Amino acid sequence: MGLVEGRIAVVTGAGSGIGRAAAEALAREGAAVVATDIDDDGLKATAASIQGAGGKVLTLHQDVTDEAAWDQVFEAAEAEFGTPSVLVNNAGIAIAGAITDYSLADWQKQMAVNVDSVFLGTRAAMRRMQEKGGSIVNISSVAGLRGAAGASAYCTSKGAVRLFTKAAAVECGQMGWPIRVNSVHPGIIDTPIWQKSITRMTETMNADQAAALTAHSGANQLDVNAIAAGNTPMVRAGRPEEVADLIVFLASDRASYISGQEHVIDGAMTAR
Ligand code: NAP
């Protein structure tokens, strides 16, 4: 019997990194998974992996900032498998940059993808899980717990996810709805988000600035383990599968009395 046997789980950003690993792990533990992303090729690879292992999966193209798309995702999930009782709000981006150089457009995009999405997803889930219950897992970051230079918008977005999660958990309890809401705070995890962040940063720079940044040896081929070695007592980056195991636990009834909490998974990075 899997940890989430017979459950229906929606996972956003499931075409890459932590989202893909979470979708695979939930399917392995018995859930029917609705995997969504804007990256259709990534979704295909996730679906192939889940189906190859004998799991159940439905893939849907979803931009998590699109309000109307949330109803469509839950309706499609309902039609294919039944009402979801697990939502993993995982899709996210990191637009790095110094505050003095940061544009309002980038700030608003960072908030839309990382914060609006979590509100919209949680609202859609809370409207549907009130009677039968469920578990909502919001992916924040250690950047939601402390500041980092060049990451002010990202830190702000992840701090918002942390407190929105707590407010949602308290509200569910007060309403008498059996819905648990938790946040997960990964440290440095080896996924493509690091390279994408550098690429996005250079897109907003003029040619000279971009050339200066990418001229450094290795700057376009980030070695996440090297970054982690300098920042993490466990001297390595985390693997998406390690974060996925925590997500599955929080999704499952093994976590039946855990709600409104922040769960850090960072190789002891924030312990010092
Ligand atoms: P990732 O490999 O880049 O995966 C994120 C996925 O979300 C990508 O497929 C991305 O597509 C998708 N996405 C971006 N914008 C979207 C939108 N508007 N609608 C739907 N999907 C969208 O990154 P990851 O590292 O697995 O990150 C997953 C979550 O963990 C994020 O919330 C991130 O902030 C958080 N996190 C990551 C780390 C880390 O070190 N990796 C640490 C702490 C927290 P595109 O490729 O098109 O952008």
CSV table of all heavy atoms in Angstrom, one decimal, residues 25-84:
chain,number,residue,atom,x,y,z
A,25,ALA,N,7.1,10.7,-7.5
A,25,ALA,CA,7.1,10.1,-6.2
A,25,ALA,C,5.6,9.8,-5.7
A,25,ALA,O,5.3,8.8,-5.2
A,25,ALA,CB,7.8,10.9,-5.2
A,26,LEU,N,4.8,10.8,-6.0
A,26,LEU,CA,3.3,10.7,-5.6
A,26,LEU,C,2.7,9.5,-6.4
A,26,LEU,O,2.0,8.7,-5.8
A,26,LEU,CB,2.6,12.0,-5.9
A,26,LEU,CG,2.9,13.1,-4.9
A,26,LEU,CD1,2.4,14.4,-5.5
A,26,LEU,CD2,2.1,12.9,-3.6
A,27,ALA,N,3.1,9.4,-7.7
A,27,ALA,CA,2.5,8.3,-8.5
A,27,ALA,C,3.0,6.9,-8.0
A,27,ALA,O,2.3,6.0,-7.9
A,27,ALA,CB,2.9,8.5,-10.0
A,28,ARG,N,4.3,6.9,-7.7
A,28,ARG,CA,4.9,5.7,-7.1
A,28,ARG,C,4.3,5.2,-5.9
A,28,ARG,O,4.1,4.1,-5.6
A,28,ARG,CB,6.4,5.9,-6.9
A,28,ARG,CG,7.3,4.7,-6.9
A,28,ARG,CD,8.8,5.0,-7.0
A,28,ARG,NE,9.2,6.1,-6.1
A,28,ARG,CZ,9.7,7.2,-6.5
A,28,ARG,NH1,9.9,7.5,-7.8
A,28,ARG,NH2,10.1,8.1,-5.6
A,29,GLU,N,3.8,6.2,-5.1
A,29,GLU,CA,3.2,5.9,-3.8
A,29,GLU,C,1.6,5.8,-3.9
A,29,GLU,O,0.9,5.9,-2.9
A,29,GLU,CB,3.5,7.0,-2.7
A,29,GLU,CG,5.0,7.0,-2.3
A,29,GLU,CD,5.4,5.7,-1.5
A,29,GLU,OE1,4.5,5.1,-0.9
A,29,GLU,OE2,6.5,5.4,-1.5
A,30,GLY,N,1.2,5.6,-5.2
A,30,GLY,CA,-0.2,5.2,-5.4
A,30,GLY,C,-1.2,6.3,-5.8
A,30,GLY,O,-2.4,6.0,-6.0
A,31,ALA,N,-0.8,7.6,-6.0
A,31,ALA,CA,-1.7,8.6,-6.4
A,31,ALA,C,-1.9,8.6,-7.9
A,31,ALA,O,-0.9,8.3,-8.6
A,31,ALA,CB,-1.2,10.0,-5.9
A,32,ALA,N,-3.0,9.1,-8.3
A,32,ALA,CA,-3.2,9.5,-9.7
A,32,ALA,C,-2.8,10.9,-9.8
A,32,ALA,O,-3.3,11.7,-9.0
A,32,ALA,CB,-4.7,9.3,-10.1
A,33,VAL,N,-1.9,11.2,-10.7
A,33,VAL,CA,-1.2,12.6,-10.7
A,33,VAL,C,-1.7,13.4,-11.9
A,33,VAL,O,-1.7,12.9,-13.1
A,33,VAL,CB,0.3,12.4,-10.7
A,33,VAL,CG1,1.0,13.8,-10.9
A,33,VAL,CG2,0.8,11.8,-9.5
A,34,VAL,N,-2.1,14.6,-11.6
A,34,VAL,CA,-2.4,15.6,-12.7
A,34,VAL,C,-1.2,16.5,-12.7
A,34,VAL,O,-1.0,17.3,-11.8
A,34,VAL,CB,-3.7,16.4,-12.4
A,34,VAL,CG1,-4.0,17.4,-13.5
A,34,VAL,CG2,-4.9,15.4,-12.2
A,35,ALA,N,-0.4,16.4,-13.7
A,35,ALA,CA,0.9,17.1,-13.8
A,35,ALA,C,0.7,18.3,-14.8
A,35,ALA,O,0.3,18.1,-16.0
A,35,ALA,CB,2.0,16.2,-14.4
A,36,THR,N,1.0,19.5,-14.3
A,36,THR,CA,0.8,20.7,-15.2
A,36,THR,C,2.1,21.5,-15.3
A,36,THR,O,2.9,21.5,-14.4
A,36,THR,CB,-0.4,21.6,-14.7
A,36,THR,OG1,0.1,22.5,-13.7
A,36,THR,CG2,-1.5,20.8,-14.1
A,37,ASP,N,2.2,22.2,-16.4
A,37,ASP,CA,3.4,23.1,-16.6
A,37,ASP,C,3.1,23.9,-17.8
A,37,ASP,O,2.2,23.6,-18.6
A,37,ASP,CB,4.6,22.2,-16.8
A,37,ASP,CG,5.9,22.9,-16.4
A,37,ASP,OD1,6.2,24.0,-17.0
A,37,ASP,OD2,6.7,22.4,-15.5
A,38,ILE,N,3.9,24.9,-18.1
A,38,ILE,CA,3.9,25.6,-19.4
A,38,ILE,C,4.9,24.9,-20.3
A,38,ILE,O,5.0,25.2,-21.5
A,38,ILE,CB,4.3,27.1,-19.2
A,38,ILE,CG1,5.6,27.3,-18.4
A,38,ILE,CG2,3.1,27.9,-18.7
A,38,ILE,CD1,6.1,28.8,-18.4
A,39,ASP,N,5.8,24.1,-19.8
A,39,ASP,CA,6.8,23.4,-20.6
A,39,ASP,C,6.2,22.0,-21.0
A,39,ASP,O,6.3,21.0,-20.3
A,39,ASP,CB,8.0,23.2,-19.7
A,39,ASP,CG,9.1,22.4,-20.4
A,39,ASP,OD1,8.9,21.9,-21.5
A,39,ASP,OD2,10.2,22.2,-19.8
A,40,ASP,N,5.7,22.0,-22.3
A,40,ASP,CA,5.0,20.8,-22.7
A,40,ASP,C,5.9,19.6,-23.0
A,40,ASP,O,5.6,18.5,-22.7
A,40,ASP,CB,4.2,21.1,-24.0
A,40,ASP,CG,3.1,22.1,-23.8
A,40,ASP,OD1,2.5,22.1,-22.7
A,40,ASP,OD2,2.8,23.0,-24.6
A,41,ASP,N,7.1,19.9,-23.5
A,41,ASP,CA,8.1,18.8,-23.7
A,41,ASP,C,8.5,18.2,-22.3
A,41,ASP,O,8.6,17.0,-22.2
A,41,ASP,CB,9.4,19.4,-24.4
A,41,ASP,CG,9.1,19.7,-25.8
A,41,ASP,OD1,8.1,19.2,-26.4
A,41,ASP,OD2,9.8,20.5,-26.4
A,42,GLY,N,8.7,19.1,-21.3
A,42,GLY,CA,9.0,18.6,-20.0
A,42,GLY,C,7.9,17.7,-19.5
A,42,GLY,O,8.2,16.6,-18.9
A,43,LEU,N,6.7,18.1,-19.7
A,43,LEU,CA,5.5,17.3,-19.2
A,43,LEU,C,5.5,15.9,-19.9
A,43,LEU,O,5.2,14.9,-19.2
A,43,LEU,CB,4.2,18.0,-19.5
A,43,LEU,CG,3.7,19.1,-18.6
A,43,LEU,CD1,2.4,19.7,-19.0
A,43,LEU,CD2,3.6,18.6,-17.1
A,44,LYS,N,5.8,15.9,-21.2
A,44,LYS,CA,5.8,14.6,-21.9
A,44,LYS,C,6.8,13.7,-21.2
A,44,LYS,O,6.6,12.5,-21.1
A,44,LYS,CB,6.2,14.8,-23.3
A,44,LYS,CG,5.0,15.2,-24.2
A,44,LYS,CD,5.5,15.2,-25.7
A,44,LYS,CE,4.5,16.1,-26.5
A,44,LYS,NZ,5.1,16.7,-27.6
A,45,ALA,N,8.0,14.2,-20.9
A,45,ALA,CA,9.0,13.4,-20.3
A,45,ALA,C,8.6,12.9,-18.9
A,45,ALA,O,8.8,11.7,-18.5
A,45,ALA,CB,10.3,14.2,-20.1
A,46,THR,N,7.9,13.8,-18.1
A,46,THR,CA,7.4,13.4,-16.8
A,46,THR,C,6.3,12.3,-17.0
A,46,THR,O,6.4,11.2,-16.3
A,46,THR,CB,6.7,14.6,-16.1
A,46,THR,OG1,7.7,15.6,-16.0
A,46,THR,CG2,6.2,14.2,-14.7
A,47,ALA,N,5.4,12.4,-18.0
A,47,ALA,CA,4.4,11.4,-18.2
A,47,ALA,C,5.0,10.1,-18.6
A,47,ALA,O,4.6,9.0,-18.1
A,47,ALA,CB,3.4,11.9,-19.2
A,48,ALA,N,6.0,10.1,-19.5
A,48,ALA,CA,6.6,8.9,-19.9
A,48,ALA,C,7.3,8.2,-18.7
A,48,ALA,O,7.2,6.9,-18.6
A,48,ALA,CB,7.7,9.2,-21.0
A,49,SER,N,7.9,8.9,-17.9
A,49,SER,CA,8.6,8.3,-16.7
A,49,SER,C,7.5,7.7,-15.8
A,49,SER,O,7.7,6.5,-15.3
A,49,SER,CB,9.4,9.4,-16.0
A,49,SER,OG,9.5,9.1,-14.7
A,50,ILE,N,6.4,8.4,-15.5
A,50,ILE,CA,5.4,7.8,-14.6
A,50,ILE,C,4.7,6.6,-15.2
A,50,ILE,O,4.6,5.6,-14.6
A,50,ILE,CB,4.4,8.9,-14.3
A,50,ILE,CG1,5.0,10.0,-13.4
A,50,ILE,CG2,3.1,8.3,-13.6
A,50,ILE,CD1,4.1,11.2,-13.1
A,51,GLN,N,4.4,6.7,-16.5
A,51,GLN,CA,3.7,5.6,-17.1
A,51,GLN,C,4.6,4.4,-17.3
A,51,GLN,O,4.2,3.3,-17.1
A,51,GLN,CB,3.2,6.0,-18.5
A,51,GLN,CG,1.9,6.9,-18.4
A,51,GLN,CD,1.6,7.7,-19.6
A,51,GLN,OE1,2.4,7.9,-20.5
A,51,GLN,NE2,0.4,8.3,-19.6
A,52,GLY,N,5.9,4.7,-17.5
A,52,GLY,CA,6.9,3.6,-17.6
A,52,GLY,C,7.0,2.8,-16.3
A,52,GLY,O,7.3,1.6,-16.3
A,53,ALA,N,6.7,3.5,-15.2
A,53,ALA,CA,6.8,2.8,-13.9
A,53,ALA,C,5.4,2.3,-13.5
A,53,ALA,O,5.3,1.8,-12.4
A,53,ALA,CB,7.3,3.8,-12.9
A,54,GLY,N,4.5,2.4,-14.4
A,54,GLY,CA,3.1,1.8,-14.2
A,54,GLY,C,2.2,2.7,-13.4
A,54,GLY,O,1.2,2.3,-12.9
A,55,GLY,N,2.5,4.0,-13.4
A,55,GLY,CA,1.7,5.0,-12.6
A,55,GLY,C,0.6,5.6,-13.5
A,55,GLY,O,0.6,5.5,-14.7
A,56,LYS,N,-0.3,6.4,-12.8
A,56,LYS,CA,-1.4,7.0,-13.5
A,56,LYS,C,-1.1,8.5,-13.6
A,56,LYS,O,-0.8,9.2,-12.6
A,56,LYS,CB,-2.7,6.9,-12.7
A,56,LYS,CG,-3.3,5.5,-12.9
A,56,LYS,CD,-4.7,5.6,-12.2
A,56,LYS,CE,-5.2,4.3,-11.8
A,56,LYS,NZ,-6.3,4.3,-10.8
A,57,VAL,N,-1.2,9.1,-14.8
A,57,VAL,CA,-0.9,10.5,-14.9
A,57,VAL,C,-1.7,11.2,-16.0
A,57,VAL,O,-2.0,10.5,-17.1
A,57,VAL,CB,0.6,10.8,-15.2
A,57,VAL,CG1,1.1,10.1,-16.5
A,57,VAL,CG2,1.0,12.2,-15.2
A,58,LEU,N,-2.2,12.4,-15.8
A,58,LEU,CA,-2.8,13.2,-16.8
A,58,LEU,C,-2.0,14.5,-16.9
A,58,LEU,O,-1.7,15.1,-15.9
A,58,LEU,CB,-4.2,13.6,-16.4
A,58,LEU,CG,-4.9,14.7,-17.2
A,58,LEU,CD1,-5.3,14.2,-18.6
A,58,LEU,CD2,-6.2,15.1,-16.5
A,59,THR,N,-1.5,14.9,-18.1
A,59,THR,CA,-0.8,16.1,-18.2
A,59,THR,C,-1.6,17.2,-18.8
A,59,THR,O,-2.4,17.0,-19.7
A,59,THR,CB,0.5,15.9,-19.2
A,59,THR,OG1,0.0,15.5,-20.4
A,59,THR,CG2,1.5,14.9,-18.6
A,60,LEU,N,-1.5,18.4,-18.3
A,60,LEU,CA,-2.2,19.6,-18.8
A,60,LEU,C,-1.3,20.8,-18.9
A,60,LEU,O,-0.5,21.1,-18.0
A,60,LEU,CB,-3.3,19.9,-17.7
A,60,LEU,CG,-4.4,18.9,-17.5
A,60,LEU,CD1,-5.3,19.3,-16.3
A,60,LEU,CD2,-5.3,18.7,-18.8
A,61,HIS,N,-1.4,21.5,-20.0
A,61,HIS,CA,-0.7,22.8,-20.1
A,61,HIS,C,-1.4,23.8,-19.2
A,61,HIS,O,-2.6,24.0,-19.4
A,61,HIS,CB,-0.7,23.3,-21.6
A,61,HIS,CG,0.0,24.5,-21.8
A,61,HIS,ND1,1.4,24.5,-22.2
A,61,HIS,CD2,-0.3,25.8,-21.6
A,61,HIS,CE1,1.8,25.8,-22.3
A,61,HIS,NE2,0.8,26.6,-21.9
A,62,GLN,N,-0.7,24.4,-18.3
A,62,GLN,CA,-1.3,25.4,-17.4
A,62,GLN,C,-0.3,26.5,-17.0
A,62,GLN,O,0.8,26.2,-16.5
A,62,GLN,CB,-1.7,24.7,-16.1
A,62,GLN,CG,-2.3,25.7,-15.1
A,62,GLN,CD,-2.4,25.2,-13.6
A,62,GLN,OE1,-1.8,24.3,-13.3
A,62,GLN,NE2,-3.2,25.9,-12.9
A,63,ASP,N,-0.7,27.7,-17.3
A,63,ASP,CA,0.1,28.8,-16.8
A,63,ASP,C,-0.5,29.2,-15.4
A,63,ASP,O,-1.7,29.5,-15.3
A,63,ASP,CB,0.0,30.0,-17.7
A,63,ASP,CG,0.7,31.3,-17.2
A,63,ASP,OD1,1.1,31.3,-16.0
A,63,ASP,OD2,1.0,32.2,-18.0
A,64,VAL,N,0.3,29.0,-14.4
A,64,VAL,CA,-0.3,29.1,-13.0
A,64,VAL,C,-0.7,30.5,-12.6
A,64,VAL,O,-1.4,30.7,-11.6
A,64,VAL,CB,0.7,28.6,-11.9
A,64,VAL,CG1,0.8,27.1,-12.0
A,64,VAL,CG2,2.0,29.3,-12.0
A,65,THR,N,-0.4,31.5,-13.5
A,65,THR,CA,-0.8,32.9,-13.2
A,65,THR,C,-2.2,33.2,-13.8
A,65,THR,O,-2.7,34.3,-13.6
A,65,THR,CB,0.2,33.9,-13.7
A,65,THR,OG1,0.2,33.9,-15.2
A,65,THR,CG2,1.6,33.6,-13.2
A,66,ASP,N,-2.7,32.3,-14.6
A,66,ASP,CA,-4.0,32.5,-15.4
A,66,ASP,C,-5.1,32.0,-14.4
A,66,ASP,O,-5.3,30.8,-14.2
A,66,ASP,CB,-3.9,31.6,-16.7
A,66,ASP,CG,-5.2,31.7,-17.5
A,66,ASP,OD1,-6.2,32.2,-16.9
A,66,ASP,OD2,-5.2,31.2,-18.6
A,67,GLU,N,-5.9,32.9,-14.0
A,67,GLU,CA,-7.0,32.6,-13.0
A,67,GLU,C,-7.9,31.5,-13.5
A,67,GLU,O,-8.3,30.6,-12.9
A,67,GLU,CB,-7.7,33.9,-12.6
A,67,GLU,CG,-8.8,33.7,-11.6
A,67,GLU,CD,-9.4,35.0,-11.1
A,67,GLU,OE1,-9.2,36.1,-11.7
A,67,GLU,OE2,-10.1,35.0,-10.1
A,68,ALA,N,-8.4,31.7,-14.8
A,68,ALA,CA,-9.4,30.8,-15.3
A,68,ALA,C,-8.9,29.4,-15.5
A,68,ALA,O,-9.6,28.4,-15.4
A,68,ALA,CB,-9.9,31.3,-16.7
A,69,ALA,N,-7.6,29.3,-15.7
A,69,ALA,CA,-7.0,28.0,-16.0
A,69,ALA,C,-7.1,27.1,-14.7
A,69,ALA,O,-7.2,25.8,-14.9
A,69,ALA,CB,-5.5,28.1,-16.4
A,70,TRP,N,-7.2,27.7,-13.6
A,70,TRP,CA,-7.2,26.8,-12.3
A,70,TRP,C,-8.5,26.0,-12.3
A,70,TRP,O,-8.5,24.8,-11.9
A,70,TRP,CB,-7.1,27.7,-11.1
A,70,TRP,CG,-5.6,27.9,-10.8
A,70,TRP,CD1,-4.9,29.0,-11.0
A,70,TRP,CD2,-4.7,27.0,-10.2
A,70,TRP,NE1,-3.6,28.9,-10.7
A,70,TRP,CE2,-3.5,27.6,-10.1
A,70,TRP,CE3,-4.9,25.7,-9.8
A,70,TRP,CZ2,-2.3,26.9,-9.6
A,70,TRP,CZ3,-3.7,25.0,-9.2
A,70,TRP,CH2,-2.5,25.7,-9.2
A,71,ASP,N,-9.7,26.6,-12.6
A,71,ASP,CA,-10.9,25.9,-12.7
A,71,ASP,C,-10.9,24.8,-13.7
A,71,ASP,O,-11.3,23.7,-13.5
A,71,ASP,CB,-12.1,26.8,-13.0
A,71,ASP,CG,-12.5,27.6,-11.7
A,71,ASP,OD1,-12.2,27.1,-10.6
A,71,ASP,OD2,-13.1,28.7,-11.9
A,72,GLN,N,-10.2,25.1,-14.9
A,72,GLN,CA,-10.1,24.1,-15.9
A,72,GLN,C,-9.3,22.9,-15.5
A,72,GLN,O,-9.6,21.8,-15.8
A,72,GLN,CB,-9.5,24.7,-17.2
A,72,GLN,CG,-10.4,25.8,-17.8
A,72,GLN,CD,-9.7,26.7,-18.8
A,72,GLN,OE1,-8.5,26.6,-19.1
A,72,GLN,NE2,-10.4,27.8,-19.2
A,73,VAL,N,-8.2,23.2,-14.8
A,73,VAL,CA,-7.4,22.1,-14.3
A,73,VAL,C,-8.1,21.2,-13.3
A,73,VAL,O,-8.1,19.9,-13.4
A,73,VAL,CB,-6.1,22.6,-13.6
A,73,VAL,CG1,-5.4,21.6,-12.7
A,73,VAL,CG2,-5.1,23.2,-14.7
A,74,PHE,N,-8.8,21.8,-12.4
A,74,PHE,CA,-9.6,21.0,-11.4
A,74,PHE,C,-10.7,20.2,-12.1
A,74,PHE,O,-11.0,19.1,-11.7
A,74,PHE,CB,-10.1,21.8,-10.2
A,74,PHE,CG,-9.0,21.9,-9.1
A,74,PHE,CD1,-8.0,22.9,-9.2
A,74,PHE,CD2,-9.0,21.0,-8.0
A,74,PHE,CE1,-7.1,22.9,-8.2
A,74,PHE,CE2,-8.1,21.1,-7.1
A,74,PHE,CZ,-7.1,22.0,-7.1
A,75,GLU,N,-11.4,20.9,-13.1
A,75,GLU,CA,-12.5,20.2,-13.8
A,75,GLU,C,-11.9,19.0,-14.6
A,75,GLU,O,-12.6,17.9,-14.6
A,75,GLU,CB,-13.2,21.2,-14.7
A,75,GLU,CG,-14.2,22.0,-13.9
A,75,GLU,CD,-14.5,23.4,-14.6
A,75,GLU,OE1,-14.3,23.5,-15.8
A,75,GLU,OE2,-15.0,24.3,-13.9
A,76,ALA,N,-10.8,19.2,-15.2
A,76,ALA,CA,-10.2,18.1,-16.0
A,76,ALA,C,-9.8,17.0,-15.1
A,76,ALA,O,-9.9,15.8,-15.4
A,76,ALA,CB,-9.0,18.6,-16.8
A,77,ALA,N,-9.2,17.3,-13.9
A,77,ALA,CA,-8.8,16.3,-13.0
A,77,ALA,C,-10.0,15.5,-12.5
A,77,ALA,O,-10.0,14.3,-12.5
A,77,ALA,CB,-8.1,17.0,-11.8
A,78,GLU,N,-11.1,16.2,-12.2
A,78,GLU,CA,-12.3,15.6,-11.7
A,78,GLU,C,-12.9,14.6,-12.8
A,78,GLU,O,-13.3,13.5,-12.5
A,78,GLU,CB,-13.3,16.7,-11.5
A,78,GLU,CG,-14.7,16.3,-11.1
A,78,GLU,CD,-14.9,16.4,-9.6
A,78,GLU,OE1,-14.4,17.4,-9.0
A,78,GLU,OE2,-15.6,15.5,-9.0
A,79,ALA,N,-12.9,15.1,-14.1
A,79,ALA,CA,-13.4,14.2,-15.1
A,79,ALA,C,-12.6,13.0,-15.3
A,79,ALA,O,-13.1,11.9,-15.6
A,79,ALA,CB,-13.5,15.1,-16.4
A,80,GLU,N,-11.3,13.1,-15.2
A,80,GLU,CA,-10.4,12.0,-15.5
A,80,GLU,C,-10.3,11.0,-14.3
A,80,GLU,O,-10.4,9.8,-14.5
A,80,GLU,CB,-9.0,12.5,-15.8
A,80,GLU,CG,-8.0,11.5,-16.2
A,80,GLU,CD,-8.1,11.0,-17.7
A,80,GLU,OE1,-8.8,11.7,-18.4
A,80,GLU,OE2,-7.4,10.0,-18.0
A,81,PHE,N,-10.1,11.6,-13.1
A,81,PHE,CA,-9.8,10.7,-11.9
A,81,PHE,C,-10.8,10.9,-10.8
A,81,PHE,O,-11.0,10.0,-10.0
A,81,PHE,CB,-8.4,11.0,-11.4
A,81,PHE,CG,-7.3,10.8,-12.3
A,81,PHE,CD1,-6.3,11.8,-12.6
A,81,PHE,CD2,-7.1,9.5,-12.9
A,81,PHE,CE1,-5.2,11.5,-13.4
A,81,PHE,CE2,-6.0,9.3,-13.8
A,81,PHE,CZ,-5.1,10.3,-14.1
A,82,GLY,N,-11.4,12.1,-10.6
A,82,GLY,CA,-12.2,12.4,-9.4
A,82,GLY,C,-11.6,13.6,-8.7
A,82,GLY,O,-10.6,14.2,-9.2
A,83,THR,N,-12.2,14.0,-7.6
A,83,THR,CA,-11.8,15.3,-7.0
A,83,THR,C,-10.4,15.2,-6.3
A,83,THR,O,-10.2,14.3,-5.5
A,83,THR,CB,-12.8,15.7,-5.8
A,83,THR,OG1,-14.1,15.7,-6.4
A,83,THR,CG2,-12.5,17.0,-5.3
A,84,PRO,N,-9.5,16.1,-6.7
A,84,PRO,CA,-8.2,16.0,-6.0
A,84,PRO,C,-8.2,16.3,-4.5
A,84,PRO,O,-9.0,17.0,-4.0
A,84,PRO,CB,-7.4,17.2,-6.7
A,84,PRO,CG,-8.1,17.4,-8.0
A,84,PRO,CD,-9.6,17.1,-7.7
